[in-house]
Amino acid sequence: MSLKLITIFLIACAGLVHAEDGDAKLILIKNVLNSIITEGNDLMVQYTLYNIGDGAATDVNLADSSFHESDFELVSGMTSVKWERILAGTNVSHVVIVRPLKSGAFNFTSAVVQYVASEGSDTTFGMSNDLGELDILSLKEFKRIHASHLIEWGLFGVWCIPSIVLPYMLYYKSKSKYSLKAKKN
Amino acid sequence: MGFQRLINFAFIFVLFGGATANTCVQPTPSFSHYTSNNEKLSQSSAVVVEFTLKCKNKVDDLLLFADVEGTQIPVTKSPEGNNFQVSWTSSSLVQASKMYKVRFFDEEGYSNLRKAIRSSQDINSVKELFQVEFKHPGLSSKLWIRSELLALIVATIVFYVVCKERSEVIA
C-alpha cells in the first residue's frame, strides 16, 4: 500500500518537473506604427516577441541591422537589446525610433532574434516578418499634402485685391455722387 | 569550540551571500526620454525611456522591471549591459499634456509588486528601486481653423457684402 503511494507520488513529481521544462518558442513581429513614412520625420518601429512555447526563453537577444547609418538616423531606442527571460505565454515589446534621410522606396527587411529555448540547449535563431518595400515620401510631398497653407492663401488674397477693390472704388465714387444728387433733390 | 567555529563560518557565509545579492545600492539614473505624438504621421503614440544606472556597488546582470500607470514592463538592456530601455506604445494619441511617472523595481521588488497585485493591495505601497518622471507634451497646439476654411469664410463675407450692395442698387 505504502509502496503504491510512493510510486504514484514519484510519477506525479516527475510529471510536474517535466511540464515545467518545456521548450520555449519565440515569434518576432516587426511592425511600423506610422501610417505615413516621410523623409525627415520620425518613423516608429515596434518589435513584439511572443513566447508560444511551454518554457521560459532565456538570454534573448534582438538585433535589427536594416537601418544603416547612411539611410536612417537613430533618434531613440537601441537596435540591439536583450532580455534575460521571457516566460511562457507572455509577450514583450520594444520600440525604436528612426528618421529616414532619403526618400523613395525602401526595402524593410527582417530583424533577428536568438535565444536559448531550454536549459542547456543550443541557441535558437528566429527572424521576424519582413515588411517589404515601403514608400518614404519626400519632405516636399509631405508638406504639399499636410502643411497649413496660410502663406499661399495670403498671397492669393493679395492678388485678388486689385480685381475686387478697383471696381468697388469706382462703384463707391458713383454711389456717393448719386446719393449727393438724390439728397439735393 | 568546534560549534563556535561553525557558527562563525555560517555568519561569514551569510554575510558574503548578502553582499553579492543582485541589487543596486544607491541607484543614480541618468535618463532621456522620447515621445512621439504626431497625428499627421500616425494614430499611435510611442514613448521611449533610455537610461544608464550608477550603483554604489558593482552589480552584474541587473534585472529591472518598470511600472507605468499600473502596467508592468520588463526593462531591456544593451548587449554590453550598460544601457537600459523601456518603451511602450498606445493605440491612440495622447491628447492633453501629462506627467509620466515610471517606477523601476529589481527582482525582489518586482516579486513584492506581483504579490501586492495578487492580494489586491495598493501597488504604491511597494518600495521601488528608483523612479523617473517626465512630461509628455500631448498634441502640440495647432491652429483651430484650417487655412482653407478661413479663406472660405473671408470669401463668403465679401460675397455677402457685395450682394447686399447690389440689391440696394437694383431695388
Side-chain angles (χ1 to χ4, degrees):
Chain A
M1 181 61 184
S2 64
L3 191 65
K4 254 192 183 172
L5 278 171
I6 289 169
T7 328
I8 292 168
F9 179 68
L10 282 172
I11 291 169
C13 278
L16 206 68
V17 166
H18 188 73
E20 281 177 0
D21 269 0
D23 278 3
K25 189 169 168 63
L26 293 184
I27 292 182
L28 174 61
I29 307 261
K30 180 171 165 177
N31 191 21
V32 158
L33 293 177
N34 284 37
S35 48
I36 303 173
I37 307 173
T38 318
E39 166 202 358
N41 281 329
D42 297 335
L43 169 61
M44 300 181 277
V45 186
Q46 183 186 32
Y47 305 90
T48 318
L49 276 164
Y50 298 89
N51 188 350
I52 57 168
D54 297 319
T58 50
D59 199 20
V60 184
N61 282 281
L62 166 68
D64 191 354
S65 50
S66 60
F67 300 116
H68 297 293
E69 273 184 22
S70 58
D71 298 319
F72 291 91
E73 179 198 336
L74 184 64
V75 175
S76 186
M78 301 186 278
T79 50
S80 289
V81 284
K82 69 175 185 191
W83 286 266
E84 291 292 338
R85 191 179 300 126
I86 299 178
L87 296 173
T90 60
N91 58 356
V92 290
S93 84
H94 178 70
V95 178
V96 172
I97 317 281
V98 290
R99 192 170 292 157
L101 298 171
K102 297 179 191 165
S103 60
F106 185 81
N107 193 13
F108 288 85
T109 53
S110 314
V112 176
V113 63
Q114 62 186 55
Y115 59 100
V116 175
S118 59
E119 218 173 290
S121 65
D122 292 331
T123 318
T124 314
F125 287 88
M127 289 179 75
S128 76
N129 54 319
D130 72 281
L131 303 167
E133 230 176 54
L134 296 175
D135 199 28
I136 302 178
L137 286 178
S138 66
L139 202 58
K140 194 172 137 190
E141 189 71 33
F142 178 69
K143 279 198 172 141
R144 198 161 70 85
I145 302 169
H146 288 281
S148 88
H149 301 289
L150 270 181
I151 299 171
E152 280 86 351
W153 282 112
L155 282 174
F156 175 73
V158 167
W159 298 131
C160 279
I161 282 172
S163 54
I164 294 179
V165 166
L166 284 173
Y168 184 76
M169 294 310 293
L170 285 169
Y171 155 79
Y172 190 72
K173 259 191 201 169
S174 61
K175 183 186 161 189
S176 51
K177 267 191 208 167
Y178 171 76
S179 309
L180 274 169
K181 273 192 183 167
K183 277 184 186 164
K184 274 185 185 170
N185 292 346
Chain B
M1 180 65 183
F3 189 60
Q4 186 64 29
R5 260 199 165 172
L6 191 68
I7 296 286
N8 288 341
F9 189 79
F11 182 70
I12 292 165
F13 186 79
V14 165
L15 205 66
F16 266 109
T20 54
N22 216 7
T23 185
C24 181
V25 176
Q26 283 185 10
T28 35
S30 61
F31 76 101
S32 64
H33 69 275
Y34 169 92
T35 56
S36 157
N37 211 30
N38 192 332
E39 60 166 9
K40 290 186 188 138
L41 295 174
S42 172
Q43 286 305 306
S44 317
S45 74
V47 182
V48 175
V49 179
E50 287 183 274
F51 61 96
T52 54
L53 202 56
K54 271 208 195 79
C55 303
K56 203 174 169 196
N57 58 331
K58 190 178 181 311
V59 192
D60 300 319
D61 288 339
L62 185 63
L63 199 60
L64 291 175
F65 297 86
D67 176 86
V68 185
E69 296 181 334
T71 316
Q72 290 80 45
I73 310 169
V75 175
T76 63
K77 289 195 271 207
S78 63
E80 308 85 41
N82 308 329
N83 300 314
F84 297 85
Q85 179 183 336
V86 184
S87 49
W88 65 89
T89 60
S90 61
S91 52
S92 58
L93 294 166
V94 178
Q95 298 290 332
S97 76
K98 63 192 230 178
M99 288 295 294
Y100 270 113
K101 193 166 96 165
V102 186
R103 298 163 72 212
F104 291 91
F105 300 86
D106 56 4
E107 280 187 83
E108 199 190 314
Y110 182 64
S111 62
N112 291 338
L113 185 69
R114 301 293 306 168
K115 271 186 219 155
I117 291 171
R118 268 199 295 268
S119 55
S120 306
Q121 283 174 4
D122 181 23
I123 56 170
N124 290 318
S125 61
V126 182
K127 178 118 181 28
E128 72 266 10
L129 196 61
F130 62 93
Q131 70 178 36
V132 301
E133 271 190 52
F134 58 92
K135 188 172 175 192
H136 190 300
L139 283 177
S140 49
S141 59
K142 50 179 182 146
L143 283 167
W144 286 100
I145 308 176
R146 288 189 62 150
S147 55
E148 288 88 354
L149 191 60
L150 192 64
L152 189 66
I153 289 169
V154 168
T156 315
I157 291 169
V158 168
F159 186 69
Y160 174 73
V161 166
V162 164
C163 278
K164 210 171 115 186
E165 298 265 339
R166 185 168 168 270
S167 59
E168 274 174 19
V169 168
I170 289 173

